């Protein structure tokens, strides 16, 4: 299953088994494992529910309740509302994501299984890197793709598209490639590099396979030209820099206080050092993001007007966003917030927000070509294009808070794993922290529950908390002395 995760859409399985949710290639073996292993395990006496999963089950209950109560909501007459069909699909996507999480969290019951799963995930990521590099090489040397690449891509993805100047890997589109990198592969490779841990003995010039994958994965992320993907990865790097700087501040305070005996001077240093370093760090971070924005404005045509703030004065924030080819997302978010304002507690049910778009669409949205196509020419139901807005719109404040509670529990779990004696458990802890940071940003671009990448990463964290220590890292047993030896 881990080798199939890079396939976000797979026509052969999707058409044969009528599975049109994302990641159908990995969903099919998932169903087999659920039926053949998880259900017998849950029924047996050893089966248990991880405490980290409790908020998720509460959220699922709220989502079901919200969906059932949506039958009592008066829906606008837009494309003949088929409420039950949308609810069924919404609950199915949530169930797929939750199944990835629960299966990963319960199947991994030993360090050997954890290492086995990590190897499969890394190998799947290597396939993504090589295919993405090949796409980039062909495009930048030929300014186009040969027919055989389109044919192969049509067997791997539902749309069969290869994008000009942007790699897509095995994903449906470049933004989904960036999503899977930021929510699974790059956090694992970056955390393994930080912990100097590896599940392979393979080395090249002293570099582990995870080190090489980190370099390759970072290059693939850049070649995807996904703006939200870039921002998410920059935020994870900023988080690591912040953690390092806080550790440096504590060390400097300790060193200075050791050398100062006067209480007044010690107090002044204790106050001045953090303040000065904090100001320096804020300046450095601002310079980092401004520098990154300047570089992107030169590389990506969509970002060329990033620093032309006169458009904010003449055209407003939405007009400025339209210059950056970003206005559609703002319109979808504003529309979703208007729907949430009418149904704040439980929302309108999973999959039903799109029916309210004509009624709640902001005025500027009707002037956008994408919105016009969505409302008048396409046959599918629109969505909010954001996980966070979708949670508010379709499950209300109760579902939103419960989902955030689950993420907070996982954050606490990740921080505790960072101090585990086993290096692979520490790797999972750091990777989960980085994945949560990336999810905060990626959640403004992806709105589906069925993309399995963050579910898999969080399942690894949940499983790692209950793993017995490997013999190498377990404490040595105490030797009992005989009376004569004593």
């Amino acid at each position: 299953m881990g080798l199939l995760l890079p396939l976000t859409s797979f026509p052969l399985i999707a058409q044969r088994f009528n599975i049109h949710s994302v990641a159908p290639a990995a969903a099919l073996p998932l169903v087999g494992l659920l039926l053949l292993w998880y259900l017998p395990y849950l029924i047996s006496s050893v089966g248990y529910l991880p405490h980290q999963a409790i908020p998720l089950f509460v959220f699922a209950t709220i989502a079901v309740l919200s969906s059932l109560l949506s039958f009592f909501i008066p829906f606008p007459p837009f494309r003949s509302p088929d409420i039950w069909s949308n609810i069924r699909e919404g609950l199915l996507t949530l169930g797929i994501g939750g199944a990835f999480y629960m299966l990963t969290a319960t199947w991994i019951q030993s360090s050997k299984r954890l290492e086995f799963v990590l190897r499969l995930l890394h190998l799947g990521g290597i396939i993504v890197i090589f295919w993405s590099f090949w796409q980039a090489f062909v495009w930048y040397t030929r300014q186009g793709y040969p027919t055989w690449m389109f044919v192969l891509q049509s067997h791997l993805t539902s749309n069969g598209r290869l994008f000009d100047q942007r790699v897509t890997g095995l994903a449906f589109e470049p933004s989904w490639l960036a999503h899977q990198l930021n929510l699974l592969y790059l956090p694992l490779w970056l955390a393994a590099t930080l912990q100097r841990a590896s599940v392979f003995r393979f080395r090249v010039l002293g570099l582990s396979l995870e080190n090489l994958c980190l370099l390759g994965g970072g290059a693939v992320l850049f070649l995807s030209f996904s703006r939200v993907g870039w921002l998410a990865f920059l935020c994870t790097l900023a988080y690591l820099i912040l953690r390092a700087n806080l550790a440096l501040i504590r060390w400097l305070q300790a060193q200075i206080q050791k050398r100062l005996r006067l209480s007044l001077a010690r107090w002044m240093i204790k106050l001045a050092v953090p303040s000065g370093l904090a100001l320096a760090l804020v300046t450095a971070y601002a310079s980092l993001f401004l520098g990154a924005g300047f570089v992107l404005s030169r590389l990506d045509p969509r970002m060329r007007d990033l620093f032309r703030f006169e458009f904010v004065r003449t055209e407003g924030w939405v007009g400025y966003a339209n210059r950056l080819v970003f206005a559609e997302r703002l319109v979808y978010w504003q529309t979703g917030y208007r729907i949430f304002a009418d149904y704040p507690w439980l929302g309108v049910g999973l999959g039903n927000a799109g029916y309210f778009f004509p009624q709640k669409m902001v005025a500027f949205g009707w002037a956008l070509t994408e919105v016009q196509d969505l409302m008048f020419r396409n046959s599918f139901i629109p969505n909010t294009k954001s996980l966070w807005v979708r949670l508010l719109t379709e499950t209300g404040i109760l579902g939103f808070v419960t989902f955030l509670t689950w993420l907070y529990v996982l954050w606490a779990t990740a921080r505790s794993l960072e101090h585990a004696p086993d290096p692979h458990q520490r790797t999972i802890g750091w990777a989960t922290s980085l994945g949560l940071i990336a999810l905060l940003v990626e959640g403004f671009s992806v709105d589906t529950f069925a993309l399995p990448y963050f579910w898999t990463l969080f399942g690894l964290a949940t499983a790692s908390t209950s793993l017995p220590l490997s013999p190498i890292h377990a404490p040595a047993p105490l030797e009992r002395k005989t009376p004569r030896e004593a």
Side-chain angles (χ1 to χ4, degrees), residues 113-401:
R113 283 192 179 183
L114 175 62
E115 294 178 16
F116 172 74
V117 171
L118 289 176
R119 290 190 186 99
L120 288 181
L121 293 176
H122 295 331
L123 291 176
I126 291 172
I127 296 173
V128 171
I129 291 174
F130 275 104
W131 182 235
S132 299
F133 277 168
W134 185 252
Q135 291 174 356
F137 173 78
V138 171
W139 168 259
Y140 286 105
T141 55
R142 300 180 49 171
Q143 297 298 306
Y145 301 102
T147 303
W148 70 266
M149 291 188 71
F150 283 104
V151 173
L152 179 58
Q153 194 74 7
S154 67
H155 291 294
L156 298 175
T157 62
S158 297
N159 59 359
R161 288 189 61 188
L162 292 170
F163 293 76
D164 296 348
Q165 297 181 335
R166 303 178 68 186
V167 299
T168 185
L170 302 175
F172 184 81
E173 60 183 13
S175 62
W176 284 17
L177 170 63
H179 177 85
Q180 65 181 218
L181 287 171
N182 279 321
L183 270 298
L184 182 62
Y185 296 112
L186 285 175
L188 287 174
W189 296 334
L190 185 53
T193 300
L194 292 173
Q195 295 300 310
R196 299 181 181 179
S198 177
V199 292
F200 299 97
R201 296 182 179 179
F202 178 80
R203 295 290 187 277
V204 175
L205 300 177
L207 297 176
S208 67
L209 196 61
E210 288 86 344
N211 301 149
L212 298 175
C213 287
L214 176 61
L215 297 175
V220 170
L221 177 65
F222 175 77
L223 292 171
S224 71
F225 282 87
S226 170
R227 293 177 293 179
V228 70
W230 290 346
L231 180 60
F233 188 62
L234 283 176
C235 287
T236 60
L237 294 180
Y239 170 74
L240 289 177
I241 295 172
L242 178 63
R243 290 282 298 271
N245 289 334
L246 291 177
L248 176 62
I249 289 175
R250 289 192 293 267
W251 181 82
L252 286 176
Q253 282 184 302
Q255 295 300 314
I256 292 174
Q257 290 181 7
K258 285 181 181 179
R259 289 163 174 77
L260 291 176
R261 296 182 179 180
L262 296 177
S263 58
L264 178 60
R266 185 179 301 177
W267 178 83
M268 293 178 62
I269 290 295
K270 187 176 181 179
L271 181 64
V273 169
S275 302
L277 287 178
L279 180 60
L281 292 179
V282 170
T283 304
Y285 291 147
S287 302
L288 174 66
F289 278 95
L290 287 175
F294 177 79
V295 173
L296 296 182
S297 66
R298 295 296 183 268
L299 294 175
D300 192 340
R302 297 171 297 176
M303 305 287 287
R304 65 179 181 271
D305 294 327
L306 179 63
F307 294 104
R308 299 184 65 180
F309 298 109
E310 64 270 15
F311 293 123
V312 178
R313 179 177 55 83
T314 59
E315 302 178 11
W317 284 105
V318 180
Y320 173 67
N322 189 36
R323 294 274 181 173
L324 302 178
V325 197
F326 193 69
E328 293 82 3
R329 294 301 175 101
L330 289 182
V331 167
Y332 299 147
W333 300 346
Q334 288 178 316
T335 303
Y337 181 78
R338 287 185 171 188
I339 301 171
F340 161 71
D342 287 343
Y343 304 94
W345 292 108
L346 286 172
V348 297
L350 293 182
N352 292 329
Y355 290 118
F356 295 84
F357 267 49
Q359 187 182 75
K360 299 298 180 181
M361 178 68 66
V362 296
F364 184 85
W366 296 103
L368 300 175
T369 303
E370 180 179 318
V371 175
Q372 292 175 0
D373 291 339
L374 188 67
M375 304 304 294
F376 301 117
R377 300 179 182 91
N378 296 329
S379 59
F380 55 84
I381 301 300
N383 55 64
T384 59
K385 303 293 186 180
S386 168
L387 177 62
W388 312 123
V389 178
R390 181 184 184 185
L391 288 171
L392 285 171
T393 304
E394 298 183 356
T395 64
I397 192 66
L398 295 179
F400 182 78
V401 170

